Amino acid sequence: DGLFLIDVTAPGRPKILSHYDTIELATGIAVSGNVAMVACRTAGVELVDVSDPARPRHLGTVRTGEAQSIDARDGILYAGVWASRELVVCDVSNPRQPRVICRTELDGYGDGVDVRGRYCYVATGHHSRQNPRREPGDPGHGAGHGLEIFDVSDPARPELRGRVKFPPLYRMGMDMWGVTVTDDYA
């Protein structure tokens, strides 16, 4: 139902300041300074000015593909993109004119992202790119689940550094994957 901005100054009395109707189903959020970036599934990522939390305003939209989860650092946005199985990197330093700077293939449907230092960690799922058929019994069926690690020292040229696969699984429904990195563990 979009983006809610909530005053949590008094944790015992949180207060809704505003509701912003995003351009499509909101699936993820990252905040950098006064800009909230909202993954809006098939519409890409919407950038919203939240400098006045009572009156959020649309700044721009970047067409990433089906963005599920996002993270942002230093004017760069990282989006886990679902059906195209990509990590999409965008320059959002000018939120009124965001632009895609790189698309990198993943070996599973893109979803959760977490950027720590020079690495971007991407959770993937469903079917492996290595075998595009998606029928039960195909080698790639349900084999896209895992974690991929990219060196993003140069955000325009992510380099795959490692990948780990989880046991195959495929189940329809609200199936989502996330990743959070703390110290040396994901």
Side-chain angles (χ1 to χ4, degrees):
D1 191 27
L3 173 67
F4 285 88
L5 287 97
I6 302 168
D7 182 344
V8 293
T9 305
R13 294 185 314 278
K15 176 181 159 189
I16 295 175
L17 297 176
S18 62
H19 171 252
Y20 179 82
D21 189 18
T22 54
I23 57 178
E24 216 253 334
L25 177 67
T27 57
I29 186 168
V31 179
S32 181
N34 290 323
V35 178
M37 290 156 266
V38 183
C40 291
R41 207 174 58 170
T42 59
V45 178
E46 182 173 9
L47 287 79
V48 180
D49 179 347
V50 292
S51 59
D52 179 354
R55 292 175 192 78
R57 296 176 302 138
H58 174 84
L59 292 170
T61 303
V62 60
R63 301 294 296 201
T64 58
E66 190 176 351
Q68 292 294 323
S69 301
I70 56 178
D71 200 359
R73 298 285 185 274
D74 304 321
I76 302 294
L77 171 73
Y78 302 86
V81 178
W82 189 260
S84 62
R85 304 176 210 184
E86 296 175 305
L87 168 64
V88 177
V89 183
C90 307
D91 180 344
V92 294
S93 58
N94 178 352
R96 292 197 180 274
Q97 295 180 330
R99 61 186 179 87
V100 172
I101 58 173
C102 178
R103 293 179 179 276
T104 301
E105 290 184 350
L106 301 170
D107 188 43
Y109 286 49
D111 198 341
V113 293
D114 194 12
V115 179
R116 298 287 182 217
R118 62 190 266 194
Y119 296 104
C120 180
Y121 302 82
V122 186
T124 63
H126 279 339
H127 311 299
S128 172
R129 180 182 289 278
Q130 295 176 16
N131 186 330
R133 296 179 314 209
R134 301 175 187 160
E135 300 300 320
D138 289 340
H141 184 80
H145 293 279
L147 176 69
E148 300 187 21
I149 304 168
F150 293 88
D151 184 330
V152 291
S153 298
D154 178 355
R157 292 176 188 78
E159 294 182 27
L160 181 65
R161 290 294 185 226
R163 173 183 291 139
V164 62
K165 288 293 192 174
F166 305 142
L169 171 72
Y170 181 66
R171 186 172 297 141
M172 289 303 296
M174 293 302 275
D175 196 4
M176 299 172 3
W177 315 287
V179 60
T180 300
V181 177
T182 304
D183 300 321
D184 292 331
Y185 300 97

